[in-house]
Amino acid sequence: MANPAEHGASLAVLIDADNANATIVEGLLTEVAKLGVASVKRIYGDWTTPNLSPWKPLLLEHSIHPIQQFRYTTGKNATDSAMIIDAMDLLYSGNFDGFCIVSSDSDFTRLASRIRESGKSVYGFGEKKTPRPFVSACDRFIYTEIFAEKKADTASTVKITTKQLRQDTKLTALIRSAIEASSDESGWANLGPVGSNIVKQAPDFDPRNYGYGKLSELIAAIGLFKTERVDKHIRLKDERPK
């Protein structure tokens, strides 16, 4: 699967400041750069409230445009509505190849679905508490805890053990299914297509959630699949008894 960033995919990055921590910004934008070019970077919230103060010094540094959205009444999230309206305006402009929605709020589930219906990619970024419907509505969903952990240089270095990985039947079944779907007649499958197939099945899959930087490292740690390198490519095979 081609890397969108290689083709300069134009992306709109929309951040729900009420549902995103300022500590993730560097990791977030680094990840976005792997996906394409952040042509628009906007962040939404009521900037008169003190809870958004950690974001303020980062806005100029990272060229993120703040959108002021007053809270008209208690208990109502006006930020969501403003983001959704702007997202649809940007979608109709036809200038973007994809959207990055940064929030843990399930209110953006329908927005993600609608954007994908228009043939555009949707990349979600949120905490692990994000409701499953929003995660599933995205092409990919990346948990923002990995950005905070990497910055702190603590939990990001903790790798799930081989024993624990093998006991994760959902994970092993996901990889097996992806290998089967991507394999040739001999049963071998290239790593790239396997990774793409995994993400199609589970948008929130990320080797970093298990403490590994790459899919190849995670698969090697599991130790249930045969691997070989052919030229510059890594191939996988499931050698379970049929």
Side-chain angles (χ1 to χ4, degrees), residues 31-216:
E31 196 72 22
V32 169
K34 297 176 184 178
L35 301 169
V37 178
S39 302
V40 165
K41 291 179 284 187
R42 298 180 184 174
I43 185 167
Y44 299 76
D46 185 351
W47 299 98
T48 65
T49 59
N51 61 302
L52 298 189
S53 57
W55 276 105
K56 292 180 180 178
L58 301 173
L59 303 184
L60 279 177
E61 179 182 351
H62 296 285
S63 189
I64 303 174
H65 181 58
I67 305 295
Q68 170 62 31
Q69 186 60 50
F70 290 104
R71 298 180 180 180
Y72 299 116
T73 181
T74 303
K76 299 294 184 181
N77 195 341
T79 297
D80 291 2
S81 299
M83 275 185 63
I84 291 170
I85 292 171
D86 270 13
M88 295 308 295
D89 285 343
L90 294 170
L91 175 64
Y92 292 144
S93 74
N95 295 327
F96 300 93
D97 302 300
F99 289 74
C100 299
I101 303 175
V102 187
S103 180
S104 303
D105 195 334
S106 63
D107 287 350
F108 296 107
T109 301
R110 179 58 187 135
L111 173 63
S113 298
R114 177 64 184 84
I115 293 172
R116 291 182 70 188
E117 288 170 4
S118 295
K120 308 298 182 181
S121 299
V122 178
Y123 306 103
F125 297 83
E127 297 177 2
K128 292 181 180 178
K129 66 179 182 181
T130 305
R132 193 68 200 176
F134 180 31
V135 172
S136 299
C138 300
D139 290 285
R140 282 191 63 194
F141 196 94
I142 299 168
Y143 292 122
T144 54
E145 282 87 350
I146 63 174
F147 305 143
E149 289 169 358
K150 184 175 181 179
K151 186 173 182 180
D153 195 27
T154 54
S156 60
T157 61
V158 178
K159 292 180 169 61
I160 305 299
T161 66
T162 295
K163 181 179 179 180
Q164 292 171 316
L165 290 171
R166 291 184 177 184
Q167 291 174 341
D168 189 339
T169 55
K170 183 177 179 181
L171 172 63
T172 55
L174 180 64
I175 295 174
R176 284 195 168 106
S177 174
I179 291 176
E180 181 179 357
S182 308
S183 63
D184 57 22
E185 293 182 356
S186 65
W188 286 99
N190 287 332
L191 181 66
V194 169
S196 297
N197 190 278
I198 289 174
V199 172
K200 288 178 182 178
Q201 296 183 65
D204 58 340
F205 173 82
D206 194 318
R208 292 170 294 184
N209 294 333
Y210 302 91
Y212 297 86
K214 299 179 179 179
L215 176 58
S216 58

